[in-house]
Structure formats: C-alpha cells, structure tokens
Amino acid sequence: MVWVTGFYTLAETEKTIEGRLSGLEIDFTSQAAIANLYRAANSVRKYFSNTVLRSNDLSWTGFVVLWVVWIWPGIEVRHAAEEAGISKSTLSGVVRTMEGRSLMRRRIDPVDRRLVHLELTDEGDRMMVDLFPRFNGEEAFAVSPLNAKKVQELTRSLKAIVAHLEANMPESTGD
Amino acid sequence: MVWVTGFYTLAETEKTIEGRLSGLEIDFTSQAAIANLYRAANSVRKYFSNTVLRSNDLSWTGFVVLWVVWIWPGIEVRHAAEEAGISKSTLSGVVRTMEGRSLMRRRIDPVDRRLVHLELTDEGDRMMVDLFPRFNGEEAFAVSPLNAKKVQELTRSLKAIVAHLEANMPESTGD
DNA sequence: TGGATATGATTCGTATCCGAAAGAATAAGG
DNA sequence: CCTTATTCTTTCGGATACGAATCATATCCA
C-alpha cells in the first residue's frame, strides 16, 4: 500500500515500518506481497470503473454479477453469489438494482419454489455483447507490462493463494 | 472468478464465453489473470476479516486506515486516503467510526486550519502493537504455498500492474 | 401425516464506498 | 483590502458489503 505509489516513497515507508517495529520479527516479503495484492486489486477496480464501466454506468460488482448471469443463464442465486465472490445478501441488493434498470430478471423455480433463477433481459444481453469485448481489451491492457509467461505465472500464484485460503477459511455461519 | 474455485469449471466457462462471442477474439490469458487477481484479493480480505481482524472487531479497511496512521502519525487526511487506497469521503466515515471507538483522533492544523491531522490514541497504538505481528503472521501464512522467489516475483508483477494503471488512470474530478 | 429439521432467498442493521455538492479556510491578484 | 479562485475536508445520496435474523418452502422420519 504505502510503499507502492503513494505520497511517501518506498524507502521512506520501509524505514519507518522497521523503526516502528524494531524488536518485532516481521516478514517484510510477505507483507509486500499482500499489500501489493490489495493495492493492485484496488487499482484494477478503479481503472475499470473509470473507463469501460463508466460508459455503461456500471459498478465493478454490478458488471461481475451481470457477467456471471450472462455466461450461466438461469443460474441460481447462491451459485451466482459464489461465482461473483460476494455474499448472497449483497447479491440480492445488486439484483434489485439490475432489475430496476431492466438488465436482469428473477425467475422462481416452478418445481422447487425456494429456488430463484437469474437471467438477463434482452437489453442486458445486448449490453454484455457490446461491453465484454471492450472489457477484455482493458484486461489485456492492464497486464500489458508483463509478458505472456509472467502473466501465466501471476495467475498460477494467485490461484495457489486462493486455493490455500479457501481451504483454511473458518466457516462463516450464514449470509 | 468462475474458473477459479466455483461451481463451474474453467473449460466450461471458456467454451461458453466463446459461444456467446462467436467471431470475436477474447484474450483468455489476460482475463484469467485479472479474474484471479480480483478473486485473490477477495479471499485475502475475507480470510483476514474472519481471523485476526475478527478478534479486534475490525474491518479490512478499518485496519488499513489504522495501520497507515500508525506508521505515519499526524498524516493529513488526503494523504492517508491515498495511502489507504480509498477516497477521502470514505476515509472521513472510517475515521468517524474509529474516533467513536477511541482508537483515533483528529487534530486541526493550527497554522492552516483547513488541514486535519490523524493520529492514534494510546489505545489505538496498543492495539496495533498487539495486532500487527499477528496480522503479519497471517500474511506469511497466506503466501506460504509459494516459495520466497515466487513471492517476490508476484510482488514485482503486481507493482508493475499498479504503476501501469496509475499512469493511465483517467483523472477523477473530486472525492 | 405432521412436527422437527434443513435449505434457500430476502430483509434488516450497520459499515464501507464513491462522486458530487457543500462548507470552511487560505491564496491570488488587482 | 476585497473579490475571486483555489485548496481541503465533510456531508449527502445512493449503491455495495456482510452477518444475523426472518420468511418461505421442502424434506425427514417417527
């Protein structure tokens, strides 16, 4: 975070941290990795929000949810939340927003009436067909400072972290 | 996202995307990198929120703000927001929360009364002294599936993406 | 079959989160 | 000086964000 791009320089920050933590054993390598992971995700979300997504007045999460439903029409709510990486309660609110903008629809399962299926409206579908290629273009732009091999290595490392944390996630009661 | 851990597999997802975009070329490598970056940041935030941070009833953002002010006592609001990677308006709310919990203080600059300096209370300082080593321990745990070289490579790649996007970020009017 | 149990989605309360607008103070330029 | 512009923070409105509680439906099993 601080030592990435901010007002204070990398050297300043690391020195200050070490000063503040003298006597404590700190793993600075791991810290730098997690801090930059957080920072990078923030930059990506902000960049996409201010470029491709702004033109369609979509938030990052709104786009992700739209994308999930676009790829998997009729997906059930709990699966959509899992795929989008948000809680069911958050998804519920986002779907409400998307319904209000006529981009998405709820459909109650006729057999098991507890289940709710999600699908895009024609308008939502048209938006994604137009938007996704531009979104993907920005994805390519975002990783363009890395060569193909480094991009794949990055993906591998990120997947390893996700798998590791998912496997060790303390179970949360419910959402 | 979808192809990381979810209900559907990578192969399924890619085929579906291709079907939806017949004729258009999609850069799946870049897409996987960005999607996993987003997913990893989510996992990390969730994992830390449910382990070390839960014990002190802190949100991820709350911790980051506390950390920034801990490292840079007396930091001005706009710089703290920049360092924490959030907008000034968001920071304002978080500081209000932290003030209410007696962890942080505002101090108006006596010379330039527009400026507000932030600093931890003694209680906030004690919390960070106790919390940060445990937080750092979890950081090391999070990246433990990677060897030291891969962690540094990951950090390098993430920094490159951040620098690239920051350099190309469309200026936002104000926050 | 009918009460207990389980499963799904939504609602509720509270805390982020952002951009735009407002509010407060300083700086600039005649 | 004193208007105007600039800088800095906060407030406001609306959308995300989560966990807990609630509501609705389905399943279990005696």
Side-chain angles (χ1 to χ4, degrees):
Chain A
M1 47 193 78
V2 166
W3 50 88
V4 181
T5 60
F7 182 70
Y8 303 102
T9 67
L10 169 59
E12 274 182 296
T13 303
E14 287 187 344
K15 205 184 306 180
T16 305
I17 294 173
E18 286 178 1
R20 283 238 143 235
L21 298 173
S22 56
L24 299 175
E25 282 172 21
I26 295 302
D27 181 343
F28 291 104
T29 304
S30 300
Q31 190 196 21
I34 298 297
N36 280 286
L37 172 57
Y38 166 66
R39 186 73 170 188
N42 253 353
S43 285
V44 166
R45 189 173 41 69
K46 195 172 298 184
Y47 177 78
F48 280 76
S49 297
N50 288 332
T51 55
V52 266
L53 299 183
R54 165 147 345 277
S55 65
N56 291 72
D57 194 26
L58 284 176
S59 67
W60 175 268
T61 299
F63 171 80
V64 170
V65 169
L66 231 40
W67 186 87
V68 165
V69 177
W70 181 54
I71 298 298
W72 304 107
I75 189 172
E76 296 166 19
V77 162
R78 66 196 182 290
H79 294 146
E82 161 72 18
E83 298 297 329
I86 59 180
S87 68
K88 280 195 300 180
S89 55
T90 298
L91 177 63
S92 195
V94 174
V95 170
R96 190 211 316 288
T97 301
M98 293 303 157
E99 269 191 316
R101 294 178 54 183
S102 302
L103 297 172
M104 195 179 291
R105 244 192 323 265
R106 284 176 160 96
R107 187 166 47 77
I108 297 177
D109 189 299
V111 174
D112 187 339
R113 297 180 50 77
R114 293 174 300 185
L115 304 180
V116 172
H117 300 273
L118 302 176
E119 53 195 19
L120 296 193
T121 61
D122 288 348
E123 186 182 343
D125 195 272
R126 277 195 300 276
M127 175 183 283
M128 287 307 287
V129 169
D130 167 68
L131 184 54
F132 184 74
R134 290 190 285 131
F135 188 90
N136 182 244
E138 296 289 2
E139 288 180 316
F141 176 74
V143 299
S144 61
L146 310 176
N147 63 38
K149 186 172 180 177
K150 289 215 185 293
V151 172
Q152 288 172 334
E153 180 60 30
L154 170 65
T155 301
R156 250 195 308 278
S157 293
L158 293 171
K159 280 184 176 179
I161 291 174
V162 170
H164 177 58
L165 293 183
E166 297 280 345
N168 289 279
M169 195 74 69
E171 50 248 86
S172 55
T173 54
D175 54 358
Chain B
M1 48 197 75
V2 164
W3 48 88
V4 180
T5 59
F7 188 71
Y8 303 102
T9 68
L10 169 59
E12 278 181 297
T13 304
E14 286 191 350
K15 204 186 309 181
T16 307
I17 294 174
E18 282 178 342
R20 296 223 165 281
L21 291 170
S22 54
L24 295 176
E25 286 173 17
I26 296 302
D27 182 343
F28 289 109
T29 304
S30 300
Q31 193 197 16
I34 297 297
N36 280 286
L37 173 58
Y38 166 66
R39 186 74 170 188
N42 253 355
S43 286
V44 165
R45 187 173 42 68
K46 196 173 297 185
Y47 177 77
F48 280 75
S49 298
N50 289 332
T51 55
V52 268
L53 299 184
R54 171 159 323 289
S55 64
N56 292 71
D57 194 27
L58 285 177
S59 66
W60 173 270
T61 299
F63 172 80
V64 170
V65 169
L66 232 39
W67 186 87
V68 165
V69 176
W70 183 51
I71 297 296
W72 303 105
I75 189 173
E76 295 165 20
V77 162
R78 66 197 182 289
H79 295 145
E82 162 73 18
E83 298 298 329
I86 59 179
S87 69
K88 282 193 297 180
S89 55
T90 298
L91 177 63
S92 194
V94 173
V95 170
R96 190 212 317 288
T97 301
M98 294 302 156
E99 269 191 314
R101 294 178 55 184
S102 302
L103 297 173
M104 195 178 290
R105 243 193 323 267
R106 283 177 160 96
R107 186 167 48 76
I108 297 178
D109 189 298
V111 174
D112 186 339
R113 297 180 51 76
R114 291 173 301 184
L115 304 180
V116 172
H117 300 275
L118 303 176
E119 53 196 19
L120 297 193
T121 62
D122 288 349
E123 186 183 344
D125 195 271
R126 277 196 301 276
M127 174 182 282
M128 287 306 288
V129 169
D130 167 68
L131 183 55
F132 185 73
R134 290 190 286 130
F135 188 90
N136 182 245
E138 296 290 4
E139 288 179 317
F141 176 74
V143 300
S144 60
L146 309 176
N147 63 37
K149 186 172 178 176
K150 288 214 185 295
V151 172
Q152 289 173 334
E153 181 60 31
L154 171 64
T155 301
R156 247 194 310 280
S157 292
L158 293 172
K159 281 184 177 179
I161 290 174
V162 170
H164 177 58
L165 292 183
E166 297 280 346
N168 289 280
M169 195 74 70
E171 53 249 85
S172 58
T173 54
D175 53 356

